[in-house]
Structures are given as structure tokens and as C-alpha cells.
């Protein structure tokens, strides 16, 4: 299978590309320097030229707080860029796998959010990602939208590594305890996405580690695994931090349909995090979701 990947230098892309190549895929990797997804003509030419059977669209504006004062730019990347990639992929007769986020939901649920739930974005970043999903649907062709959240890995800035650095310095931190989700390894997302493409999945899908916790719970777990004093982590409210962008209070994704299709349960968040803290890299030695 020949696959093209946008945003190949990001948190997911840089994990996915080497992993899939080792699995035998022929992967064309486009970093931001290689492909400007907001340039529709460039995107059409690039997608048409590679002859890929699938395009995985990882490229995105991810600066959540910055988007509050730069919504037009976030829309240009997350909506217009998604439209350009989706239209080019449809024209080439390939399948598009579009990576999206739990932020498209308002966080007012109290049970795991199903893939068919209606988006209700709260802030500028969330609106841009929801608009990107709409653009993918409108482009036609074969597509799947894969939502995840709270992702971490060795190839990009993320909360887990930020807490690891703080723990290594025995630094006291305040962390919100009123947002609920599941920290999810980029390796898990890459594995599950491979399985979804291999199964010719279409439509919306959710991929996240099993279980739930708060960011405070994640930080304490990181400190414990780093052999730092977890008492250095103290809880606070989202409002107390005063961040510009609103965050969904509930970001637990229902992955049962994904599990049924792949024939395997999502691994627990604590197991994945513990392995990452011990070994890092691509979670080598941990059984993959899909062989």
C-alpha cells in the first residue's frame, strides 16, 4: 500500500511514518516545508503525482490559545487546508484519512462521546477543526475522520513530556483537575489508523486509550513514574489558570466501534503511559493494536 502523509514532521506524523514503513507500507512523507496544505494548486499537483491509495492528513494548526486571536489563520490551515487535501484526494481516487480532535465537542457530556455525536465547538481552534471535518465530508470521494485527543509521543511538544521535564527538576506544578479524558500514545493512534485503512473503514471513528482521568491525574502519574514526589502536583480549576481558549470539560471518546472493527480493545491509558515513561520512542515491546 502506498500512503502519503501530510504534516509528517508533527507529533503523529513523525511516529506514524517510520512505524508504517517498518510494517511494509510505501510512505510518501510531506512535512510543512515540503507541502503547504493551504496552497490548493500545490496540493493537487502533489497528490496527483504520487499515486497513493490513501492520504493521511495530519497537518494542522494546533496552537489552541493562539487561535483565539488568529482565527482566520487557524481556519486557513484547518478548514481550507483540509478542503484542499480532501478535494485533491477525491480527484485522485484515493482514500482520505483526516485526523481530528475531541475539541470539536463542547465537553458537556457525561458518558463517552460516540463518533456520530454532533460537533459543538467552543473556541476558535475547535471551530476550525469542526469546519475541517465539514470540508472533508463536502469534498466527496472516500474518506474517514479519525478523532483522538490528549496525544503524546517523542516527536513533538505534549503535556506528558512537559510534566516529565518538570518532574526531573522536582518542580512544583498546578494542573487542572476539572477536564476529563484519556492520555493517548501517538503509537496507539498510528496502529489503529493502519488497521482502519486496511479494513477500508469509512466515516467517523474514535481512537483513544481506555479509561479516564484528569490532567491532574496524568501529571501525578508522570511524577510517580519519574520517581518524583507526586505531592509536588497540586490541583486547580480551568478557570483559575485563565487560558484564552475554552477547553471541553469532558473529552472521553467512545471507541467501541473501532474496537469491534479492529478486533482488539484499546489499551488502558495507565499501561501506555507507564511504558512510555520507561522506554519512550515508539513503545517498542508493547503489543500493537493491529499486527
Amino acid at each position: 500500500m502506498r500512503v502519503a502523509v501530510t504534516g509528517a514532521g508533527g507529533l503523529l506524523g513523525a511516529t506514524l511514518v517510520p512505524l508504517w514503513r517498518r510494517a511494509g507500507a510505501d510512505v510518501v512523507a510531506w512535512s510543512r516545508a515540503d507541502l503547504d496544505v493551504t496552497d490548493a494548486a500545490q496540493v493537487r499537483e502533489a497528490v496527483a503525482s504520487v499515486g497513493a491509495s490513501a492520504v493521511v492528513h495530519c497537518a494542522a494548526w494546533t496552537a489552541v490559545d493562539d487561535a483565539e486571536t488568529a482565527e482566520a489563520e487557524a481556519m486557513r490551515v484547518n478548514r481550507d487546508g483540509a478542503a484542499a487535501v480532501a478535494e485533491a484526494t477525491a480527484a485522485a481516487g484515493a482514500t482520505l484519512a483526516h485526523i481530528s480532535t475531541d475539541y470539536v465537542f463542547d465537553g458537556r457530556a457525561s458518558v463517552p462521546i460516540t463518533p456520530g455525536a454532533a460537533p459543538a465547538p467552543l473556541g476558535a481552534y475547535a471551530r476550525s477543526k469542526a469546519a475541517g471535518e465539514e470540508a472533508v465530508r463536502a469534498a466527496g470521494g472516500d474518506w474517514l475522520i479519525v478523532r483522538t485527543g490528549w496525544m503524546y509521543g517523542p516527536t513533538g511538544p505534549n503535556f506528558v513530556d512537559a510534566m516529565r521535564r518538570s518532574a526531573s527538576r522536582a518542580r512544583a506544578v498546578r494542573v487542572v483537575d476539572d477536564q476529563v479524558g484519556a492520555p493517548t500514545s501517538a503509537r496507539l493512534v498510528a496502529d489503529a489508523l493502519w488497521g482502519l485503512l486496511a479494513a477500508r473503514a469509512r466515516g467517523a471513528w474514535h481512537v483513544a486509550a481506555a479509561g479516564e482521568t484528569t490532567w491532574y491525574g496524568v501529571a501525578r502519574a508522570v511524577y510517580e513514574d519519574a520517581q518524583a514526589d507526586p505531592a509536588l502536583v497540586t490541583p486547580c480549576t480551568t478557570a483559575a489558570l485563565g487560558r484564552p481558549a475554552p477547553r471541553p470539560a469532558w473529552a472521553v471518546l467512545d471507541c467501541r466501534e473501532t474496537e469491534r472493527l479492529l478486533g482488539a480493545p484499546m489499551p488502558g491509558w495507565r499501561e501506555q503511559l507507564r511504558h512510555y515513561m520507561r522506554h519512550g520512542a515508539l513503545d517498542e515491546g508493547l503489543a500493537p493494536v493491529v499486527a
Side-chain angles (χ1 to χ4, degrees):
M1 178 166 60
R2 186 164 225 219
V3 183
V5 180
T6 71
L11 179 58
L12 177 58
T15 292
L16 178 155
V17 169
L19 188 67
W20 287 14
R21 283 175 174 164
R22 284 206 298 274
D26 177 9
V27 182
V28 178
W30 292 316
S31 69
R32 183 189 301 179
D34 300 322
L35 182 67
D36 177 2
V37 297
T38 68
D39 184 334
Q42 184 187 9
V43 171
R44 279 195 303 272
E45 181 179 353
V47 172
S49 69
V50 296
S53 58
V55 176
V56 180
H57 183 42
C58 299
W61 173 294
T62 57
V64 174
D65 288 322
D66 291 348
E68 291 300 304
T69 54
E71 185 166 0
E73 181 62 19
M75 281 288 184
R76 197 168 74 88
V77 177
N78 291 345
R79 179 194 60 201
D80 302 344
V85 174
E87 290 163 8
T89 303
T95 298
L96 174 67
H98 175 71
I99 308 304
S100 194
T101 171
D102 62 273
Y103 269 78
V104 302
F105 302 113
D106 61 17
R108 296 192 178 116
S110 57
V111 295
I113 304 165
T114 63
L122 296 177
Y125 164 75
R127 287 191 292 271
S128 73
K129 289 298 290 182
E133 290 191 7
E134 291 175 7
V136 167
R137 291 185 172 94
D142 289 335
W143 55 266
L144 61 155
I145 291 168
V146 179
R147 301 189 188 106
T148 188
W150 295 34
M151 192 161 47
Y152 63 89
T155 55
N158 63 87
F159 180 80
V160 169
D161 283 342
M163 289 300 100
R164 188 210 297 261
R165 289 190 295 273
S166 293
S168 71
R169 301 179 179 110
R171 180 178 295 165
V173 294
R174 286 198 315 155
V175 182
V176 297
D177 197 29
D178 55 2
Q179 296 174 34
V180 182
T184 298
S185 164
R187 165 67 190 269
L188 170 58
V189 180
D191 270 340
L193 185 53
W194 175 266
L196 289 168
L197 284 172
R200 301 184 182 277
R202 301 293 184 266
W205 300 84
H206 286 173
V207 175
E212 61 188 62
T213 186
T214 66
W215 287 118
Y216 167 70
V218 178
R220 281 187 63 94
V222 169
Y223 270 59
E224 288 170 3
D225 291 345
Q227 299 185 322
D229 184 1
L232 289 167
V233 184
T234 56
C236 69
T237 65
T238 299
L241 284 189
R243 303 290 289 275
R247 267 76 173 167
W250 180 264
V252 181
L253 300 176
D254 187 330
C255 299
R256 288 176 297 176
E257 289 299 320
T258 306
E259 291 174 328
R260 277 194 280 269
L261 183 70
L262 300 183
M266 295 290 113
W269 74 265
R270 191 66 186 91
E271 172 197 7
Q272 290 257 302
L273 180 64
R274 184 175 294 113
H275 193 96
Y276 180 74
M277 289 293 295
R278 288 177 180 168
H279 305 291
L282 294 175
D283 298 345
E284 299 293 355
L286 202 65
V289 174
V290 181

